[in-house]
Amino acid sequence: MKINVVFYSLYGHVYRIAEAIAEGAREVEGAEVGIYQVAETLSPEILEKMGR
């Protein structure tokens, strides 16, 4: 069975949740787990204004 965890994380909080989900999924026998981050779509100027 293949499981893909797809996430978007601006500050890293959601990344940690996605990693925890993937870790749990890896415990399932026969599971192939991939974790993929959606690319940032905000411009560097907007990110700077948001304090990122």
Side-chain angles (χ1 to χ4, degrees):
M1 142 183 36
K2 292 184 179 184
I3 300 170
N4 290 318
V5 180
V6 181
F7 69 96
Y8 170 82
S9 183
L10 183 62
Y11 295 103
H13 300 91
V14 177
Y15 169 73
R16 289 195 291 272
I17 295 169
E19 274 293 333
I21 292 168
E23 183 179 327
R26 288 183 188 107
E27 294 179 7
V28 176
E29 186 177 331
E32 296 177 34
V33 181
I35 184 164
Y36 304 95
Q37 183 169 1
V38 174
E40 183 59 66
T41 59
L42 297 173
S43 70
E45 295 81 19
I46 297 296
L47 292 172
E48 186 177 331
K49 289 179 183 179
M50 293 175 70
R52 168 129 192 283

